[in-house]
Amino acid sequence: MKLFFQGWDEELVHGVKELEAQLGFQMDPSGLPVEVVRLSPDAGQLRVTLSGGKGRIEYVEKIHFFRALGLFVEHAKTKESFDLTERPSFDYNGAMLDASRNAVMRVDAIKQMLRYMAVMGLNGLMMYTEDTYEVPELPYFGYMRGRYTAEELRECDDYAALFGIEMIPCIQTLGHLFHALKWQYAEPLRDHPDIVLPGAPATYEFLEQAIRAASAPFRSKRIHIGMDEAFQVGLGRYLRDNGFRDRFEVMNEHVGRVMEITGKLGLEPMIWSDMYFNLLSNDVQGGLYNMEADFSEENMAKIPKGLRFVYWNYWGTDENAYKEVFDKHRLLGSEPIFAGGIHMWNLMAPNHGKTWSSMHPALRAAKRSGLREVFATAWGDNGNEANHFVILPGLQLFAEYGYHDGEVTDEHLQKRLAACTGLDLFGPLEALKGMDEVPEVYEGNYYGANPSKFLLWQDPLIGLFDKHVEGMEGTLPDYYAGLAEKWRGYLAGEGSGWTEPFTAMFAFYEKLAAALSVKSTLGVTIKRLYDAGDRDGLRRIADETLPELSRRVEELRVAHRELWLGTYKPFGWEVLDIRYGGVLARAASARDRLLDYVNGRVPQLEELEAERLVFNQNNVFGTLDVNGLYHQIATAGSLSM
């Protein structure tokens, strides 16, 4: 398709050029004429029309033009005439991508994400950086963690500006600073291992250096300064130095001191809101968003003025409950910002079921409550094993709630995601939830089961999760074999026209499913054969199954590495290499142990004599409705002490 834009602002040209290949058109004077009209700010809408061989795009904000461009191209490919109008529901609608859980997205990958976001009409991006940005005065800040240079962040901000996307620095200034504080230089700054020491002059010198470095590369004067989940603030070194003080007062003093820094730098801060709900309900255990928290006028008057508060909720399914918390936030003195979640953290594959069940009601409530700012978080907890590009269906969900007046159905999302990316991705990406929505998992996987993770990393002889897959030897391996075939089918079909990282992504999931088709119930089989005294069966496991498993795991490791290095800096991959190395080493040891037993070198295997119990370190709702972290999965011993 060829398009000839008329009457447009020159500032749009470069951004349009960046999107030609993605949207499948060319700018050409001989192409379909499209008049571009920028409306006055009070118009509050975007509109695309095609009639009589002439097109027209009307817009207010730059980001609305790029959303409208995507709509125009989508419909012009199949229709001779149309007239579409959308009215944006949110002033700020975007994403926060975790760059602090080992995976630091490469600049070219950020640019690719920005191009997708531009056509969706999403106008905000935060890269969550606890210590993964350069602070000139602090050489150990982000050391060997893939930290961004100021030049890299400035390059991303310049690119985002082409499309009217605001990049906002997103850091931490109270808790979640373990990696920044673990070095010797930070000893005077620690209240707890991951919380800075309130009130100490050295703390605010450190924070000023960090805030200055984090904000300098960006055009935006807004900054997210974090401060969530610091539930032990004031109870560590601060308590020893100062005695016990009301922690609400400690928090307010710290917030005030940090706001002095942001004020000096001309910045407009926002923070996560959970600490105020926590401190005003006296919940030392870290409870979240207690609606009985004391939001009296007296308490509200003590909170420093000029803050915006971000309410985060990744799990709620009650639309009215969301609205009640939004209203409670307004007592803090400003309009709340809502942060939802696209579930990819502590997972090998995305949990779109939980994203759908929580974010549909959340976004309906946000529109109903008149919120003007929302964004989607995509965390990478516990190793960032899933790739950030799996979140595209969730980003499209946020985008459509921001512009679309009708019901946001999967069919609508499928068409829009294909139009925005130029690729037929919705079905395949949405189907990846099947890696964890296995038989026996609660419908929609609301409880966040992650069997594709714990079945991969658990030990074949110790099997901390084997109790959960007992009786599934005849079904689970076949289930994962079917998924491997399904992912291969995608690669051979619609995937033949995909760009990266999607080809590498589905190659990774094909290898993961293939490995799990061997490993998912292997520990159960080994224990059954051992209990039955079937030495011939154990010999077959040792001579055939375990070598085949090792071969598949090595193929999986290589595929995962290719996917990682195409999206992220190499720092952090070593963590997953170590995990894969552990699986391979333990498979080799399992083979040796089994052969020692079947050949009579040892009278018994103590690992297999032990009774298998249910994994109960966290809530278990059903047979497989369990979620494990790597250090819990791999061993009942200690990986850190």
Side-chain angles (χ1 to χ4, degrees):
M1 175 185 290
K2 295 180 179 180
L3 301 176
F4 178 48
F5 297 101
Q6 299 173 323
W8 63 341
D9 194 318
E10 286 295 315
E11 69 172 4
L12 300 175
V13 175
H14 192 177
V16 172
K17 284 183 178 294
E18 291 294 301
L19 296 173
E20 282 183 313
Q22 179 176 316
L23 294 180
F25 74 91
Q26 290 178 295
M27 289 189 288
D28 191 300
S30 67
L32 174 69
V34 181
E35 182 183 12
V36 179
V37 179
R38 187 164 195 168
L39 305 175
S40 62
D42 59 356
Q45 68 179 34
L46 60 90
R47 183 184 181 194
V48 294
T49 64
L50 177 62
S51 179
K54 294 183 180 180
R56 182 179 172 95
I57 294 176
E58 299 175 2
Y59 72 103
V60 176
E61 303 292 339
K62 184 189 286 190
I63 188 64
H64 300 158
F65 169 82
F66 290 102
R67 164 88 181 184
L69 175 62
L71 286 168
F72 184 90
V73 172
E74 174 189 2
H75 290 276
K77 287 179 178 178
T78 59
K79 299 177 182 177
E80 293 184 357
S81 66
F82 52 83
D83 188 338
L84 302 171
T85 300
E86 292 185 333
R87 185 173 295 272
S89 296
F90 304 119
D91 299 325
Y92 181 89
N93 187 359
M96 187 229 72
L97 308 181
D98 192 348
S100 295
R101 300 318 200 287
N102 296 340
V104 179
M105 190 176 280
R106 292 157 45 110
V107 169
D108 58 337
I110 293 175
K111 289 180 177 181
Q112 183 175 358
M113 189 70 80
L114 286 166
R115 289 193 295 272
Y116 294 146
M117 291 174 60
V119 187
M120 293 177 185
L122 298 172
N123 67 343
L125 177 62
M126 304 178 194
M127 302 302 297
Y128 175 76
T129 49
E130 293 172 354
D131 69 324
T132 47
Y133 58 97
E134 190 176 56
V135 180
E137 301 90 341
L138 303 170
Y140 280 92
F141 191 91
Y143 173 61
M144 290 296 179
R145 293 255 295 145
R147 61 192 173 196
Y148 289 114
T149 65
E151 290 74 20
E152 287 175 321
L153 293 174
R154 189 171 293 111
E155 182 179 349
C156 292
D157 188 60
D158 287 343
Y159 196 77
L162 295 177
F163 308 109
I165 297 175
E166 178 187 15
M167 287 198 71
I168 298 175
C170 184
I171 63 172
Q172 287 287 0
T173 57
L174 181 58
H176 286 298
L177 286 170
F178 171 80
H179 288 292
L181 300 178
K182 66 187 177 185
W183 304 105
Q184 184 61 35
Y185 82 90
E187 192 277 333
L189 310 175
R190 298 187 204 111
D191 185 9
H192 278 267
D194 70 338
I195 301 174
V196 295
L197 180 62
T203 293
Y204 301 103
E205 180 183 358
F206 162 77
L207 291 177
E208 181 167 346
Q209 292 166 345
I211 292 169
R212 188 184 301 275
S215 60
F218 298 102
R219 290 166 170 77
S220 178
K221 291 301 180 184
R222 300 211 287 174
I223 184 170
H224 196 323
I225 55 175
M227 298 201 192
D228 61 310
E229 297 183 313
F231 301 124
Q232 297 299 310
V233 65
L235 299 177
R237 180 175 176 177
Y238 186 92
L239 178 63
R240 296 193 297 272
D241 292 349
N242 301 282
F244 181 78
R245 290 188 63 209
D246 185 317
R247 294 187 309 127
F248 178 55
E249 294 180 7
V250 175
M251 180 76 178
N252 286 331
E253 289 178 6
H254 180 71
V255 170
R257 292 287 298 274
V258 176
M259 288 185 69
E260 289 176 10
I261 296 169
T262 58
K264 181 166 69 173
L265 297 175
L267 301 173
E268 302 166 13
M270 67 182 78
I271 67 170
W272 306 107
S273 60
D274 57 285
M275 281 299 293
Y276 278 109
F277 280 78
N278 174 263
L279 294 174
L280 291 172
S281 58
N282 296 314
D283 189 348
V284 178
Q285 299 303 313
L288 293 171
Y289 294 112
N290 183 346
M291 290 295 284
E292 302 305 314
D294 182 7
F295 274 33
S296 63
E297 290 184 15
E298 180 183 0
N299 281 336
M300 296 302 95
K302 296 176 182 178
I303 299 174
K305 301 298 182 286
L307 271 177
R308 296 290 304 280
F309 293 90
V310 183
Y311 165 47
W312 57 275
N313 187 324
Y314 316 138
W315 58 88
T317 59
D318 186 333
E319 184 175 332
N320 290 326
Y322 277 111
K323 187 177 184 304
E324 289 175 8
V325 185
F326 295 154
D327 291 340
K328 184 89 168 180
H329 273 75
R330 291 185 168 105
L331 298 176
L332 291 164
S334 63
E335 276 296 297
I337 301 168
F338 174 67
I342 304 175
H343 288 265
M344 60 165 282
W345 55 94
N346 195 31
L347 298 164
M348 303 296 291
N351 183 349
H352 290 307
K354 188 165 185 175
T355 299
W356 261 224
S357 66
S358 57
M359 290 303 100
H360 275 289
L363 292 167
R364 285 196 299 266
K367 291 177 73 168
R368 201 175 114 206
S369 300
L371 263 63
R372 301 307 305 171
E373 297 190 297
V374 300
F375 63 90
T377 63
W379 300 100
D381 297 34
N382 205 233
N384 211 123
E385 292 146 324
N387 184 280
H388 271 93
F389 281 93
V390 301
I391 72 171
L392 289 179
L395 288 183
Q396 196 74 57
L397 182 76
F398 270 70
E400 297 315 304
Y401 270 102
Y403 292 92
H404 184 60
D405 284 337
E407 183 182 0
V408 180
T409 64
D410 283 2
E411 292 74 19
H412 178 76
L413 291 170
Q414 181 175 12
K415 288 189 290 187
R416 290 298 300 136
L417 185 60
C420 291
T421 62
L423 305 169
D424 186 10
L425 289 170
F426 182 85
L429 289 176
E430 204 268 343
L432 289 174
K433 66 185 182 182
M435 293 299 300
D436 290 318
E437 280 193 26
V438 301
E440 304 298 330
V441 164
Y442 185 82
E443 183 180 357
N445 198 8
Y446 176 76
Y447 297 115
N450 60 354
S452 65
K453 176 168 179 161
F454 63 68
L455 295 175
L456 174 66
W457 299 135
Q458 77 160 346
D459 193 276
L461 293 184
I462 293 174
L464 294 176
F465 293 79
D466 277 350
K467 192 70 175 176
H468 296 271
V469 292
E470 282 184 358
M472 301 184 74
E473 292 172 81
T475 58
L476 204 53
D478 288 344
Y479 175 84
Y480 279 117
L483 285 185
E485 185 64 31
K486 184 174 184 176
W487 309 146
R488 281 194 292 272
Y490 281 142
L491 289 170
E494 54 259 57
S496 60
W498 286 345
T499 55
E500 295 298 358
F502 305 107
T503 301
M505 181 186 296
F506 278 86
F508 158 65
Y509 282 115
E510 184 268 321
K511 300 299 184 187
L512 175 58
L516 290 174
S517 72
V518 175
K519 191 173 188 294
S520 56
T521 57
L522 178 60
V524 175
T525 301
I526 291 173
K527 182 75 163 72
R528 176 177 54 77
L529 293 172
Y530 178 82
D531 289 344
D534 188 344
R535 293 173 183 256
D536 289 339
L538 292 175
R539 186 181 297 277
R540 285 194 298 275
I541 296 288
D543 289 343
E544 300 173 15
T545 308
L546 285 168
E548 175 62 15
L549 174 63
S550 295
R551 183 187 69 81
R552 294 189 185 202
V553 169
E554 175 60 14
E555 288 185 350
L556 170 60
R557 183 188 71 84
V558 172
H560 200 169
R561 185 183 64 196
E562 180 179 349
L563 174 61
W564 179 287
L565 294 177
T567 303
Y568 305 114
K569 296 185 179 187
F571 303 94
W573 170 251
E574 72 277 6
V575 172
L576 296 185
D577 246 351
I578 290 166
R579 292 181 186 181
Y580 282 115
V583 174
L584 292 168
R586 288 300 295 162
S589 288
R591 182 174 189 273
D592 292 342
R593 291 286 285 158
L594 291 178
L595 290 176
D596 283 346
Y597 174 69
V598 300
N599 290 327
R601 288 189 287 270
V602 296
Q604 64 178 16
L605 296 176
E606 293 172 88
E607 308 97 305
L608 298 180
E609 291 288 329
E611 180 186 0
R612 270 41 179 169
L613 301 176
V614 166
F615 180 87
N616 69 345
Q617 290 192 25
N618 54 24
N619 289 331
V620 179
F621 302 96
T623 304
L624 277 174
D625 286 307
V626 59
N627 180 289
L629 301 169
Y630 175 76
H631 69 279
Q632 303 168 321
I633 295 167
T635 176
S638 174
L639 286 173
S640 59
M641 299 178 67

